[in-house]
């Protein structure tokens, strides 16, 4: 199913002059796009960096078929690497849980809560024929619920991927 809100966005503009001011909210609805690739990820791995490198709490997620043993790919597989920033700290940093919320791609990689860093959010395809092929994200939204996550990602190659994971949201390797 396609969700037209996946690529929607909203911002507030503050207009000030002397002692007068007002705000205007601008919302652009998303467009409905059919996915080129449907991917049901059986494995979620990753780690938590807190606010060591960003203003938001940083969770690094890896979705794959076979699971990951660390940052680098460990087998032939497809890896969706997601650089997520939240306003929710991990209750237990040794077993961080991906926070519920909606996250949109941030081209500036600001690390602000509610965003996905564009630089580290990528798809890696590791095959015996081609080795490792990295595909950068152009746009995307990730929705995390209590029971899993769902994403629509548009990659640099023009493909739109609908990625779904259901299961535990505890990160680790």
């Amino acid at each position: 199913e396609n969700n037209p809100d996946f690529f929607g966005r909203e911002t507030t503009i503050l207009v000030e002059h002397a002692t007068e001011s007002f705000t205007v909210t601008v919302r652009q609805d998303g467009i409905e796009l059919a996915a080129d690739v449907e991917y049901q990820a059986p494995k979620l791995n990753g780690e938590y960096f807190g606010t060591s490198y960003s203003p938001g709490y940083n969770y690094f997620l890896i979705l794959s078929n076979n699971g990951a043993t660390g940052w680098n790919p460990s087998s032939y597989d497809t890896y969706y690497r997601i650089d997520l920033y939240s306003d929710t700290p991990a209750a237990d940093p040794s077993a961080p849980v991906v926070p519920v919320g909606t996250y949109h791609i941030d081209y500036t990689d600001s690390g602000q809560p509610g965003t996905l860093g564009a630089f580290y959010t990528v798809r890696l395809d590791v095959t015996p024929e081609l080795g490792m092929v990295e595909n950068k994200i152009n746009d995307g939204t990730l929705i995390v619920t209590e029971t899993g996550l769902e994403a629509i990602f548009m990659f640099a190659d023009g493909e739109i991927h609908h990625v779904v994971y259901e299961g535990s949201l505890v990160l680790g390797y």
Side-chain angles (χ1 to χ4, degrees):
E1 293 183 23
N2 297 313
N3 183 338
D5 289 334
F6 270 109
F7 291 112
R9 54 190 164 189
E10 181 176 302
T11 192
T12 302
I13 301 169
L14 173 63
V15 179
E16 294 181 305
H17 178 70
T19 60
E20 301 291 321
S21 69
F22 64 92
T23 60
V24 176
T25 300
V26 179
R27 174 160 172 71
Q28 181 181 29
D29 289 333
I31 57 175
E32 191 167 334
L33 299 170
D36 298 302
V37 174
E38 294 284 342
Y39 185 82
Q40 180 74 40
K43 303 288 185 180
L44 169 68
N45 296 104
E47 54 194 285
Y48 174 69
F49 294 104
T51 56
S52 298
Y53 308 104
S54 60
Y57 296 96
N58 185 204
Y59 296 78
F60 184 73
L61 291 59
I62 302 172
L63 296 167
S64 65
N65 286 315
N66 300 319
T69 58
W71 176 269
N72 293 317
S74 57
S75 65
Y76 298 128
D77 204 344
T78 295
Y79 299 89
Y80 290 87
R81 295 173 20 162
I82 302 169
D83 191 26
L84 180 150
Y85 296 90
S86 173
D87 58 3
T88 305
D92 178 0
S94 66
V97 177
V98 182
V100 170
T102 300
Y103 304 88
H104 301 283
I105 200 68
D106 174 15
Y107 305 104
T108 67
D109 287 303
S110 68
Q112 293 297 320
T115 67
L116 304 171
F119 188 80
Y120 289 112
T121 300
V122 300
R123 186 182 82 239
L124 299 176
D125 291 306
V126 183
T127 67
E129 301 80 27
L130 300 175
M132 184 171 72
V133 177
E134 179 179 286
N135 201 348
K136 292 284 197 179
I137 192 167
N138 275 357
D139 205 349
T141 296
L142 172 72
I143 298 171
V144 180
T145 66
E146 296 286 339
T147 60
L149 51 89
E150 180 176 11
I152 292 287
F153 292 139
M154 182 184 299
F155 290 97
D157 65 2
E159 284 191 341
I160 297 169
H161 289 226
H162 178 225
V163 181
V164 177
Y165 166 80
E166 294 176 7
S168 171
L169 297 175
V170 177
L171 296 178
Y173 294 108

